Amino acid sequence: MIWRPFTQEKTTPPPVKITKGEGAYLFAENGDKYVDMISSWFVNLHGHANPEMAEVISHQARTLEHVIFTKFTHEPAEKLVEGLKHIVPPELNRYFFSDNGSTAVEVALKMAFQYFINIGEENRNVFLSLEGGYYGDTFGAMSVSGVNSKYHATFSDLFFKTLMIDVPEYYDGVESIEEKENDIIDDLEKKLKSVGNRICALILEPLLQGSFGMRLYRPEFLERLVNKVKEYGILVIFDEVLTGFFRTGKMFALEHTNVLPDFICLSKGLTGGFLPLALTIASDKIYNAFLSGDKKKTFLHGHSYTANPIACAAACKSLEILLRQETVDRIGAISQFHRCHSIPRAAKRRSIGAVTAFDANSEDAANHVINKAWENGIFLRPLGRTLYLFPPYCVSDEDLSRTYDIINKFL
Ligand SMILES: Cc1ncc(COP(=O)(O)O)c(C=O)c1O
């Protein structure tokens, strides 16, 4: 029997068998059709079973399916790095491959920690993170999500030490945001004065905390945070696993700001949602600290499927489709759609780029909307009492419109 992720098997109904995907739609075995309004856990960019993607994947599988990525390299990985170089800030130019968002984060955490050991600052063994962050389900990722994480608290005895910073939540009509931001920066300053030289890295999801509840904060706050921790020699990791590839309206969320991290983590949309692949991209400063005749300074980390050629070929194609004017225009149109459509009964409405979210009065109210949407052929998934739209970029205006109508009718 299959054991599903994030599912209480005792109380959750059996899964729906999906036999086919096409564009924004999923087709069930019984003939029902659903709009995938959450991009199947935030991964799908260009639609399900996209024929162009399927073609390159099939071609690559017939050419070279996989090879160990230590002694060998291959064209799909090199082509992908070449392509990404045009869109990733040039200061971040060392590309380390892995398989999923959690491993991209583990790699960044381990690199940050070992960086300080390699340069002889061995007392930096504390991380800094934002309250409500979600970075994946492996132990490092859980540790920086923190003991208050709604997903990971069970394992908190096993976490490594992480200090938490509050998040000045931003939404339509929010009041006194600057005051809240000032208070949090003051609190941070106090923490840094006492233990700043023990902290190895700050990790955060830039501007949009996804899995906690699609919570936004302002670029101004992010800039202050990053500039402040840099005064204490702390490294900065931007987890763009969810925010990357135009979800926030820019290729990467970091482009909304004037600050740069030392690492960015990418996954999810990297292959357009077709295959698991991830990247941790670091600066030369980090990379150079691992170059040594001393073997102990090597980064001893790797996965069997590192830089899988089929996944890399899919990522190259996805990037090509993403950069087409018609895709960029479509992402702009979805963003505009969110801005122009109100949800009068929603609390804390917030939108950024192609993502919009709001809170219902209660979890029951959120579930009521989800169920009604499902009956009407729209697949949504709540985060507590938060509802959000996070569609593939090929979603039609008609399907967006229908979704807004249903939300407004049943909320
Ligand atoms: C910001 C962020 N980082 C990391 C992850 C973990 O990615 P994965 O589920 O591929 O391990 C997620 C997953 O939702 C995420 O949203």
Side-chain angles (χ1 to χ4, degrees), residues 268-319:
K268 290 200 184 277
L270 179 59
T271 63
F274 272 67
L275 287 161
L277 185 71
L279 274 166
T280 306
I281 312 175
S283 64
D284 271 342
K285 172 175 114 174
I286 305 296
Y287 179 78
N288 289 338
F290 288 76
L291 300 181
S292 168
D294 178 356
K295 279 193 178 163
K296 283 209 298 287
K297 293 197 172 177
T298 310
F299 188 57
L300 293 175
H301 182 111
H303 300 277
S304 315
Y305 284 101
T306 293
N308 174 260
I310 307 175
C312 289
C316 291
K317 188 51 144 189
S318 175
L319 201 55

Side-chain angles (χ1 to χ4, degrees), residues 109-410:
L109 298 173
K110 285 175 73 175
M111 279 181 178
F113 181 76
Q114 190 178 342
Y115 165 83
F116 284 112
I117 292 178
N118 284 3
I119 65 165
E121 276 192 56
E122 301 205 354
N123 63 339
R124 292 207 187 236
N125 56 8
V126 178
F127 283 84
L128 193 59
S129 181
L130 299 194
E131 206 65 74
Y134 176 85
Y135 311 100
D137 296 333
T138 47
F139 268 98
M142 289 197 296
S143 294
V144 290
S145 297
V147 295
N148 297 327
S149 159
K150 63 181 172 187
Y151 303 108
H152 303 137
T154 310
F155 302 98
S156 60
D157 281 356
L158 302 175
F159 292 174
F160 54 70
K161 194 157 169 52
T162 303
L163 296 176
M164 287 292 165
I165 308 167
D166 272 345
V167 176
E169 217 182 323
Y170 184 74
Y171 47 85
D172 294 354
V174 67
E175 283 174 10
S176 335
I177 189 74
E178 282 168 17
E179 249 172 67
K180 285 178 201 153
E181 291 174 355
N182 289 341
D183 289 348
I184 295 171
I185 297 288
D186 287 348
D187 177 54
L188 172 67
E189 180 96 58
K190 279 185 207 131
K191 286 192 171 93
L192 293 177
K193 279 195 174 131
S194 84
V195 289
N197 62 353
R198 296 276 321 282
I199 297 172
C200 145
L202 164 69
I203 181 165
L204 50 82
E205 298 154 270
L207 306 185
L208 172 62
Q209 292 191 299
S211 301
F212 182 74
M214 295 293 159
R215 187 161 75 162
L216 291 181
Y217 57 93
R218 300 195 313 154
E220 292 87 338
F221 175 73
L222 178 55
E223 287 179 359
R224 288 176 71 189
L225 200 58
V226 170
N227 288 331
K228 183 54 66 193
V229 303
K230 285 198 169 180
E231 285 173 23
Y232 291 78
I234 296 166
L235 298 176
V236 177
I237 303 166
F238 279 5
D239 175 353
E240 295 245 18
V241 165
L242 179 136
T243 51
F245 306 107
F246 284 127
R247 291 297 186 185
T248 68
K250 306 237 186 219
M251 179 58 81
F252 300 113
L254 64 81
E255 292 169 27
H256 292 276
T257 74
N258 285 317
V259 286
L260 270 185
D262 300 282
F263 302 88
I264 59 173
C265 304
L266 302 178
S267 188
K268 290 200 184 277
L270 179 59
T271 63
F274 272 67
L275 287 161
L277 185 71
L279 274 166
T280 306
I281 312 175
S283 64
D284 271 342
K285 172 175 114 174
I286 305 296
Y287 179 78
N288 289 338
F290 288 76
L291 300 181
S292 168
D294 178 356
K295 279 193 178 163
K296 283 209 298 287
K297 293 197 172 177
T298 310
F299 188 57
L300 293 175
H301 182 111
H303 300 277
S304 315
Y305 284 101
T306 293
N308 174 260
I310 307 175
C312 289
C316 291
K317 188 51 144 189
S318 175
L319 201 55
E320 183 201 316
I321 300 175
L322 192 60
L323 291 170
R324 286 178 194 157
Q325 195 54 48
E326 61 191 271
T327 315
V328 176
D329 290 348
R330 188 64 207 133
I331 295 165
I334 297 171
S335 312
Q336 184 66 11
F337 199 99
H338 293 320
R339 277 199 295 276
C340 297
H341 285 76
S342 62
I343 305 177
R345 289 201 201 95
K348 295 190 175 174
R349 176 80 189 274
R350 59 257 187 206
S351 303
I352 184 167
V355 183
T356 194
F358 58 91
D359 291 352
N361 278 341
S362 64
E363 285 196 22
D364 282 350
N367 282 324
H368 177 64
V369 175
I370 299 286
N371 294 337
K372 289 296 176 188
W374 181 251
E375 285 168 18
N376 284 278
I378 294 162
F379 173 48
L380 297 171
R381 196 179 147 87
L383 290 163
R385 62 196 184 99
T386 298
L387 294 169
Y388 58 93
L389 309 188
F390 202 109
Y393 300 144
C394 60
V395 70
S396 68
D397 277 0
E398 196 196 337
D399 283 331
L400 284 171
S401 209
R402 242 164 27 85
T403 308
Y404 272 88
D405 288 349
I406 283 164
I407 290 170
N408 279 326
K409 185 164 172 199
F410 294 105

Side-chain angles (χ1 to χ4, degrees), residues 69-85:
F69 202 63
T70 49
K71 183 174 173 63
F72 303 119
T73 179
H74 47 73
E75 192 181 323
E78 289 179 357
K79 212 174 127 194
L80 177 58
V81 169
E82 211 38 57
L84 286 168
K85 268 192 199 159

